[in-house]
Short mmCIF file of all heavy atoms in Angstrom, two decimals:
data_model
loop_
_atom_site.label_atom_id
_atom_site.label_comp_id
_atom_site.label_asym_id
_atom_site.label_seq_id
_atom_site.Cartn_x
_atom_site.Cartn_y
_atom_site.Cartn_z
N ALA A 299 49.10 105.82 90.06
CA ALA A 299 49.63 104.66 90.77
C ALA A 299 51.09 104.37 90.42
O ALA A 299 51.92 104.13 91.31
CB ALA A 299 48.76 103.44 90.49
N SER A 300 51.43 104.37 89.14
CA SER A 300 52.80 104.03 88.74
C SER A 300 53.82 104.99 89.33
O SER A 300 54.92 104.58 89.72
CB SER A 300 52.92 104.01 87.22
OG SER A 300 52.60 105.28 86.67
N HIS A 301 53.45 106.24 89.42
CA HIS A 301 54.37 107.23 90.00
C HIS A 301 54.44 107.09 91.52
O HIS A 301 55.50 107.31 92.11
CB HIS A 301 53.90 108.63 89.62
CG HIS A 301 53.93 108.88 88.15
ND1 HIS A 301 53.08 109.77 87.53
CD2 HIS A 301 54.68 108.35 87.16
CE1 HIS A 301 53.33 109.78 86.23
NE2 HIS A 301 54.28 108.93 85.99
N VAL A 302 53.34 106.73 92.13
CA VAL A 302 53.32 106.56 93.58
C VAL A 302 54.27 105.45 94.01
O VAL A 302 55.02 105.60 94.98
CB VAL A 302 51.89 106.26 94.07
CG1 VAL A 302 51.90 105.78 95.52
CG2 VAL A 302 51.01 107.51 93.94
N PHE A 303 54.29 104.33 93.28
CA PHE A 303 55.15 103.21 93.66
C PHE A 303 56.62 103.58 93.58
O PHE A 303 57.42 103.18 94.41
CB PHE A 303 54.85 101.99 92.78
CG PHE A 303 53.61 101.25 93.17
CD1 PHE A 303 52.48 101.28 92.37
CD2 PHE A 303 53.56 100.53 94.35
CE1 PHE A 303 51.33 100.61 92.74
CE2 PHE A 303 52.42 99.84 94.73
CZ PHE A 303 51.29 99.88 93.92
N GLY A 304 56.98 104.34 92.56
CA GLY A 304 58.37 104.79 92.46
C GLY A 304 58.75 105.68 93.64
O GLY A 304 59.85 105.58 94.18
N MET A 305 57.84 106.54 94.04
CA MET A 305 58.10 107.43 95.16
C MET A 305 58.16 106.65 96.48
O MET A 305 58.91 107.02 97.40
CB MET A 305 57.02 108.51 95.23
CG MET A 305 57.47 109.78 95.92
SD MET A 305 58.76 110.68 95.02
CE MET A 305 57.81 111.45 93.73
N ILE A 306 57.39 105.57 96.59
CA ILE A 306 57.46 104.72 97.79
C ILE A 306 58.86 104.11 97.92
O ILE A 306 59.43 104.04 99.01
CB ILE A 306 56.39 103.61 97.72
CG1 ILE A 306 54.99 104.21 97.99
CG2 ILE A 306 56.68 102.50 98.73
CD1 ILE A 306 53.86 103.22 97.83
N GLY A 307 59.41 103.67 96.78
CA GLY A 307 60.77 103.14 96.82
C GLY A 307 61.77 104.16 97.33
O GLY A 307 62.64 103.85 98.14
N ALA A 308 61.64 105.40 96.87
CA ALA A 308 62.54 106.46 97.32
C ALA A 308 62.34 106.76 98.80
O ALA A 308 63.30 107.02 99.53
CB ALA A 308 62.31 107.73 96.49
N ALA A 309 61.08 106.73 99.26
CA ALA A 309 60.80 106.99 100.67
C ALA A 309 61.42 105.92 101.56
O ALA A 309 61.97 106.22 102.63
CB ALA A 309 59.29 107.06 100.89
N LEU A 310 61.35 104.65 101.13
CA LEU A 310 61.98 103.57 101.89
C LEU A 310 63.50 103.73 101.92
O LEU A 310 64.15 103.52 102.95
CB LEU A 310 61.60 102.22 101.29
CG LEU A 310 60.14 101.79 101.46
CD1 LEU A 310 59.86 100.54 100.64
CD2 LEU A 310 59.80 101.55 102.92
N VAL A 311 64.07 104.12 100.79
CA VAL A 311 65.51 104.32 100.71
C VAL A 311 65.96 105.43 101.66
O VAL A 311 66.95 105.28 102.38
CB VAL A 311 65.91 104.65 99.25
CG1 VAL A 311 67.31 105.28 99.20
CG2 VAL A 311 65.88 103.39 98.41
N THR A 312 65.23 106.53 101.67
CA THR A 312 65.62 107.63 102.56
C THR A 312 65.46 107.25 104.02
O THR A 312 66.19 107.78 104.88
CB THR A 312 64.79 108.90 102.27
OG1 THR A 312 63.39 108.59 102.34
CG2 THR A 312 65.11 109.46 100.90
N SER A 313 64.56 106.33 104.32
CA SER A 313 64.42 105.85 105.71
C SER A 313 65.67 105.09 106.12
O SER A 313 66.18 105.25 107.24
CB SER A 313 63.18 104.96 105.84
OG SER A 313 62.00 105.67 105.56
N VAL A 314 66.19 104.25 105.22
CA VAL A 314 67.42 103.51 105.50
C VAL A 314 68.60 104.47 105.61
O VAL A 314 69.41 104.40 106.54
CB VAL A 314 67.68 102.46 104.40
CG1 VAL A 314 69.04 101.78 104.62
CG2 VAL A 314 66.56 101.42 104.38
N GLU A 315 68.71 105.38 104.64
CA GLU A 315 69.83 106.33 104.65
C GLU A 315 69.79 107.21 105.89
O GLU A 315 70.83 107.49 106.50
CB GLU A 315 69.78 107.18 103.38
CG GLU A 315 70.05 106.40 102.11
CD GLU A 315 69.89 107.22 100.85
OE1 GLU A 315 69.35 108.35 100.94
OE2 GLU A 315 70.31 106.75 99.78
N SER A 316 68.61 107.66 106.28
CA SER A 316 68.48 108.50 107.47
C SER A 316 68.88 107.74 108.71
O SER A 316 69.53 108.30 109.61
CB SER A 316 67.05 109.02 107.60
OG SER A 316 66.72 109.91 106.56
N THR A 317 68.51 106.46 108.79
CA THR A 317 68.87 105.65 109.96
C THR A 317 70.38 105.56 110.11
O THR A 317 70.93 105.75 111.20
CB THR A 317 68.25 104.25 109.85
OG1 THR A 317 66.83 104.35 109.80
CG2 THR A 317 68.64 103.40 111.06
N GLY A 318 71.07 105.28 109.01
CA GLY A 318 72.53 105.23 109.07
C GLY A 318 73.13 106.58 109.43
O GLY A 318 74.10 106.65 110.20
#
Side-chain angles (χ1 to χ4, degrees):
S300 60
H301 297 152
V302 167
F303 282 110
M305 205 66 77
I306 286 175
L310 291 172
V311 162
T312 54
S313 298
V314 175
E315 293 176 347
S316 293
T317 299

